[in-house]
Amino acid sequence: TQLLEQSPQFLSIQEGENLTVYCNSSSVFSSLQWYRQEPGEGPVLLVTVVTGGEVKKLKRLTFQFGDARKDSSLHITAAQPGDTGLYLCAHSGGGADGLTFGKGTHLIIQP
Amino acid sequence: NAGVTQTPKFQVLKTGQSMTLQCAQDMNHEYMSWYRQDPGMGLRLIHYSVGAGITDQGEVPNGYNVSRSTTEDFPLRLLSAAPSQTSVYFCASSTGTNTGELFFGEGSRLTVL
């Protein structure tokens, strides 16, 4: 099982600030997914990155897949209270056995 | 749009009791799975199915049984509940490809006393 290390584990910032969270591994991934989970709900897919060096933007969220496909980052610009949640990265082992998730970054944006 | 529906949302059991967590999806997805989510441990795969009649074990299968008699339904059975099974359980489905999006239910919070 390829382990995914997410950092930081917890992050609390003020509204309007920028932030970056990370997802790292020692192994190469064919693809990586980012999910956001709000309290009392299941995770929801934000983006899938496939190509090394790929950058995808989703409004104020920017996702990057490392050139070597071993790491990924999520940058949020001008964070808003609605961005509060648990951010999870996940990868597929390539077989039929589902996604392996990192432990997540708990993000709180204070008004 | 129903998506993935889990029942019940909350359940309290006594040690040794059995119960079934229900999961149904209306997206005609072949792949379905069960995860448990615990503080500090993240989401861990319990069992999964790649189609009706086919199931397999994930990372933490002990104490749980599953079956897949139809494409739509994937129930998770706890045969003899233990306090270690106190957790939030999520059912998910997808098209089954390696980059396919997982669609999750809202979760079932189980407490075993």
Side-chain angles (χ1 to χ4, degrees):
Chain A
T1 302
Q2 296 170 303
L3 295 178
L4 289 168
E5 299 288 339
Q6 291 192 245
S7 61
Q9 187 177 0
F10 296 96
L11 183 60
S12 178
I13 64 172
Q14 295 294 123
E15 180 177 3
E17 295 183 359
N18 301 331
L19 66 106
T20 303
V21 298
Y22 302 92
C23 176
N24 297 299
S25 175
S26 58
S27 303
V28 176
F29 299 114
S30 58
S31 65
L32 198 80
Q33 297 182 351
W34 284 92
Y35 289 78
R36 179 169 66 205
Q37 183 179 18
E38 299 184 17
E41 299 183 5
V44 176
L45 180 69
L46 295 173
V47 76
T48 301
V49 287
V50 178
T51 305
E54 183 177 7
V55 176
K56 283 191 173 179
K57 293 191 175 183
L58 187 65
K59 297 183 180 178
R60 293 175 293 99
L61 279 61
T62 301
F63 302 85
Q64 185 162 6
F65 201 16
D67 291 340
R69 292 186 288 125
K70 291 183 178 181
D71 56 87
S72 182
S73 63
L74 159 58
H75 181 79
I76 301 179
T77 303
Q80 298 178 1
D83 296 326
T84 292
L86 175 64
Y87 289 80
L88 297 157
C89 63
H91 79 91
S92 169
D97 57 350
L99 293 179
T100 298
F101 285 83
K103 294 181 180 180
T105 292
H106 293 266
L107 176 63
I108 296 174
I109 309 301
Q110 300 181 15
Chain B
N1 295 333
V4 179
T5 303
Q6 290 183 234
T7 56
K9 286 185 168 46
F10 300 95
Q11 182 72 50
V12 179
L13 291 177
K14 295 181 179 179
T15 297
Q17 288 185 318
S18 63
M19 77 157 300
T20 299
L21 298 177
Q22 302 291 344
C23 176
Q25 53 93 7
D26 61 359
M27 296 172 283
N28 201 32
H29 286 164
E30 290 296 324
Y31 181 90
M32 295 186 74
S33 55
W34 277 100
Y35 288 84
R36 59 178 290 174
Q37 186 173 37
D38 303 290
M41 300 296 291
L43 283 159
R44 292 181 292 169
L45 183 65
I46 304 171
H47 284 285
Y48 65 96
S49 169
V50 297
I54 306 169
T55 64
D56 208 342
Q57 297 180 351
E59 179 185 356
V60 288
N62 292 341
Y64 308 95
N65 277 356
V66 292
S67 60
R68 186 91 180 273
S69 57
T70 67
T71 299
E72 295 77 20
D73 300 299
F74 191 44
L76 178 72
R77 297 182 185 85
L78 283 71
L79 303 177
S80 179
S84 62
Q85 293 178 304
T86 293
S87 187
V88 181
Y89 292 85
F90 288 97
C91 179
S93 73
S94 82
T95 57
T97 64
N98 287 345
T99 57
E101 175 181 359
L102 267 185
F103 293 85
F104 284 86
E106 293 186 336
S108 298
R109 182 175 293 275
L110 175 66
T111 302
V112 183
L113 303 176

PDB file of all heavy atoms in Angstrom, chain B residues 74-89:
ATOM      1  N   PHE B  74     -25.522  -2.745  -1.538  1.00  0.00           N
ATOM      2  CA  PHE B  74     -24.275  -3.294  -0.998  1.00  0.00           C
ATOM      3  C   PHE B  74     -24.316  -3.167   0.520  1.00  0.00           C
ATOM      4  O   PHE B  74     -23.707  -2.271   1.108  1.00  0.00           O
ATOM      5  CB  PHE B  74     -23.081  -2.545  -1.586  1.00  0.00           C
ATOM      6  CG  PHE B  74     -21.737  -3.177  -1.314  1.00  0.00           C
ATOM      7  CD1 PHE B  74     -21.545  -4.540  -1.441  1.00  0.00           C
ATOM      8  CD2 PHE B  74     -20.646  -2.392  -0.962  1.00  0.00           C
ATOM      9  CE1 PHE B  74     -20.305  -5.113  -1.213  1.00  0.00           C
ATOM     10  CE2 PHE B  74     -19.398  -2.954  -0.737  1.00  0.00           C
ATOM     11  CZ  PHE B  74     -19.230  -4.317  -0.861  1.00  0.00           C
ATOM     12  N   PRO B  75     -25.018  -4.060   1.213  1.00  0.00           N
ATOM     13  CA  PRO B  75     -25.136  -3.957   2.675  1.00  0.00           C
ATOM     14  C   PRO B  75     -23.877  -4.424   3.400  1.00  0.00           C
ATOM     15  O   PRO B  75     -23.170  -5.332   2.936  1.00  0.00           O
ATOM     16  CB  PRO B  75     -26.323  -4.878   2.989  1.00  0.00           C
ATOM     17  CG  PRO B  75     -26.321  -5.869   1.863  1.00  0.00           C
ATOM     18  CD  PRO B  75     -25.847  -5.129   0.652  1.00  0.00           C
ATOM     19  N   LEU B  76     -23.624  -3.807   4.542  1.00  0.00           N
ATOM     20  CA  LEU B  76     -22.488  -4.156   5.391  1.00  0.00           C
ATOM     21  C   LEU B  76     -23.032  -4.723   6.694  1.00  0.00           C
ATOM     22  O   LEU B  76     -23.803  -4.065   7.386  1.00  0.00           O
ATOM     23  CB  LEU B  76     -21.644  -2.922   5.684  1.00  0.00           C
ATOM     24  CG  LEU B  76     -20.438  -3.121   6.611  1.00  0.00           C
ATOM     25  CD1 LEU B  76     -19.336  -3.905   5.901  1.00  0.00           C
ATOM     26  CD2 LEU B  76     -19.885  -1.770   7.097  1.00  0.00           C
ATOM     27  N   ARG B  77     -22.616  -5.930   7.035  1.00  0.00           N
ATOM     28  CA  ARG B  77     -23.121  -6.608   8.235  1.00  0.00           C
ATOM     29  C   ARG B  77     -22.056  -6.684   9.313  1.00  0.00           C
ATOM     30  O   ARG B  77     -20.922  -7.083   9.039  1.00  0.00           O
ATOM     31  CB  ARG B  77     -23.602  -8.014   7.881  1.00  0.00           C
ATOM     32  CG  ARG B  77     -24.758  -8.033   6.905  1.00  0.00           C
ATOM     33  CD  ARG B  77     -25.231  -9.457   6.630  1.00  0.00           C
ATOM     34  NE  ARG B  77     -26.269  -9.478   5.611  1.00  0.00           N
ATOM     35  CZ  ARG B  77     -26.021  -9.507   4.302  1.00  0.00           C
ATOM     36  NH1 ARG B  77     -24.769  -9.531   3.864  1.00  0.00           N
ATOM     37  NH2 ARG B  77     -27.027  -9.514   3.446  1.00  0.00           N
ATOM     38  N   LEU B  78     -22.449  -6.297  10.516  1.00  0.00           N
ATOM     39  CA  LEU B  78     -21.610  -6.508  11.702  1.00  0.00           C
ATOM     40  C   LEU B  78     -22.200  -7.706  12.430  1.00  0.00           C
ATOM     41  O   LEU B  78     -23.344  -7.679  12.873  1.00  0.00           O
ATOM     42  CB  LEU B  78     -21.622  -5.283  12.614  1.00  0.00           C
ATOM     43  CG  LEU B  78     -20.782  -4.081  12.195  1.00  0.00           C
ATOM     44  CD1 LEU B  78     -21.370  -3.374  10.983  1.00  0.00           C
ATOM     45  CD2 LEU B  78     -20.627  -3.112  13.360  1.00  0.00           C
ATOM     46  N   LEU B  79     -21.432  -8.760  12.544  1.00  0.00           N
ATOM     47  CA  LEU B  79     -21.962 -10.011  13.067  1.00  0.00           C
ATOM     48  C   LEU B  79     -22.062 -10.011  14.584  1.00  0.00           C
ATOM     49  O   LEU B  79     -23.026 -10.513  15.153  1.00  0.00           O
ATOM     50  CB  LEU B  79     -21.077 -11.163  12.606  1.00  0.00           C
ATOM     51  CG  LEU B  79     -20.908 -11.281  11.089  1.00  0.00           C
ATOM     52  CD1 LEU B  79     -19.954 -12.413  10.742  1.00  0.00           C
ATOM     53  CD2 LEU B  79     -22.245 -11.478  10.398  1.00  0.00           C
ATOM     54  N   SER B  80     -21.074  -9.445  15.259  1.00  0.00           N
ATOM     55  CA  SER B  80     -21.035  -9.375  16.712  1.00  0.00           C
ATOM     56  C   SER B  80     -20.274  -8.105  17.073  1.00  0.00           C
ATOM     57  O   SER B  80     -19.048  -8.109  17.134  1.00  0.00           O
ATOM     58  CB  SER B  80     -20.352 -10.607  17.296  1.00  0.00           C
ATOM     59  OG  SER B  80     -20.290 -10.519  18.700  1.00  0.00           O
ATOM     60  N   ALA B  81     -21.025  -7.026  17.263  1.00  0.00           N
ATOM     61  CA  ALA B  81     -20.399  -5.713  17.397  1.00  0.00           C
ATOM     62  C   ALA B  81     -19.453  -5.628  18.589  1.00  0.00           C
ATOM     63  O   ALA B  81     -19.714  -6.191  19.665  1.00  0.00           O
ATOM     64  CB  ALA B  81     -21.482  -4.642  17.510  1.00  0.00           C
ATOM     65  N   ALA B  82     -18.349  -4.902  18.373  1.00  0.00           N
ATOM     66  CA  ALA B  82     -17.363  -4.654  19.417  1.00  0.00           C
ATOM     67  C   ALA B  82     -17.130  -3.151  19.533  1.00  0.00           C
ATOM     68  O   ALA B  82     -17.309  -2.425  18.548  1.00  0.00           O
ATOM     69  CB  ALA B  82     -16.057  -5.360  19.075  1.00  0.00           C
ATOM     70  N   PRO B  83     -16.723  -2.670  20.721  1.00  0.00           N
ATOM     71  CA  PRO B  83     -16.465  -1.230  20.873  1.00  0.00           C
ATOM     72  C   PRO B  83     -15.480  -0.679  19.849  1.00  0.00           C
ATOM     73  O   PRO B  83     -15.586   0.489  19.457  1.00  0.00           O
ATOM     74  CB  PRO B  83     -15.917  -1.132  22.299  1.00  0.00           C
ATOM     75  CG  PRO B  83     -16.574  -2.269  23.020  1.00  0.00           C
ATOM     76  CD  PRO B  83     -16.636  -3.391  22.008  1.00  0.00           C
ATOM     77  N   SER B  84     -14.542  -1.525  19.379  1.00  0.00           N
ATOM     78  CA  SER B  84     -13.570  -1.083  18.374  1.00  0.00           C
ATOM     79  C   SER B  84     -14.223  -0.761  17.027  1.00  0.00           C
ATOM     80  O   SER B  84     -13.578  -0.167  16.151  1.00  0.00           O
ATOM     81  CB  SER B  84     -12.491  -2.145  18.173  1.00  0.00           C
ATOM     82  OG  SER B  84     -13.084  -3.352  17.696  1.00  0.00           O
ATOM     83  N   GLN B  85     -15.469  -1.161  16.866  1.00  0.00           N
ATOM     84  CA  GLN B  85     -16.176  -0.875  15.625  1.00  0.00           C
ATOM     85  C   GLN B  85     -16.977   0.425  15.696  1.00  0.00           C
ATOM     86  O   GLN B  85     -17.672   0.790  14.737  1.00  0.00           O
ATOM     87  CB  GLN B  85     -17.098  -2.038  15.252  1.00  0.00           C
ATOM     88  CG  GLN B  85     -16.326  -3.298  14.892  1.00  0.00           C
ATOM     89  CD  GLN B  85     -17.211  -4.482  14.559  1.00  0.00           C
ATOM     90  OE1 GLN B  85     -18.053  -4.875  15.370  1.00  0.00           O
ATOM     91  NE2 GLN B  85     -17.027  -5.043  13.373  1.00  0.00           N
ATOM     92  N   THR B  86     -16.873   1.123  16.812  1.00  0.00           N
ATOM     93  CA  THR B  86     -17.433   2.471  16.899  1.00  0.00           C
ATOM     94  C   THR B  86     -16.721   3.355  15.888  1.00  0.00           C
ATOM     95  O   THR B  86     -15.495   3.486  15.914  1.00  0.00           O
ATOM     96  CB  THR B  86     -17.250   3.038  18.315  1.00  0.00           C
ATOM     97  OG1 THR B  86     -18.055   2.284  19.221  1.00  0.00           O
ATOM     98  CG2 THR B  86     -17.649   4.506  18.369  1.00  0.00           C
ATOM     99  N   SER B  87     -17.483   3.944  14.965  1.00  0.00           N
ATOM    100  CA  SER B  87     -16.877   4.672  13.861  1.00  0.00           C
ATOM    101  C   SER B  87     -17.968   5.336  13.028  1.00  0.00           C
ATOM    102  O   SER B  87     -19.166   5.160  13.278  1.00  0.00           O
ATOM    103  CB  SER B  87     -16.079   3.703  12.984  1.00  0.00           C
ATOM    104  OG  SER B  87     -15.341   4.401  11.990  1.00  0.00           O
ATOM    105  N   VAL B  88     -17.539   6.079  12.039  1.00  0.00           N
ATOM    106  CA  VAL B  88     -18.455   6.578  11.011  1.00  0.00           C
ATOM    107  C   VAL B  88     -18.192   5.778   9.742  1.00  0.00           C
ATOM    108  O   VAL B  88     -17.037   5.686   9.293  1.00  0.00           O
ATOM    109  CB  VAL B  88     -18.275   8.080  10.738  1.00  0.00           C
ATOM    110  CG1 VAL B  88     -19.278   8.544   9.685  1.00  0.00           C
ATOM    111  CG2 VAL B  88     -18.446   8.883  12.024  1.00  0.00           C
ATOM    112  N   TYR B  89     -19.235   5.194   9.201  1.00  0.00           N
ATOM    113  CA  TYR B  89     -19.100   4.320   8.047  1.00  0.00           C
ATOM    114  C   TYR B  89     -19.632   5.019   6.793  1.00  0.00           C
ATOM    115  O   TYR B  89     -20.712   5.618   6.800  1.00  0.00           O
ATOM    116  CB  TYR B  89     -19.874   3.018   8.281  1.00  0.00           C
ATOM    117  CG  TYR B  89     -19.252   2.173   9.357  1.00  0.00           C
ATOM    118  CD1 TYR B  89     -19.555   2.382  10.705  1.00  0.00           C
ATOM    119  CD2 TYR B  89     -18.331   1.173   9.041  1.00  0.00           C
ATOM    120  CE1 TYR B  89     -18.969   1.621  11.702  1.00  0.00           C
ATOM    121  CE2 TYR B  89     -17.744   0.400  10.031  1.00  0.00           C
ATOM    122  CZ  TYR B  89     -18.069   0.629  11.353  1.00  0.00           C
ATOM    123  OH  TYR B  89     -17.474  -0.119  12.337  1.00  0.00           O
TER     124      TYR B  89
END
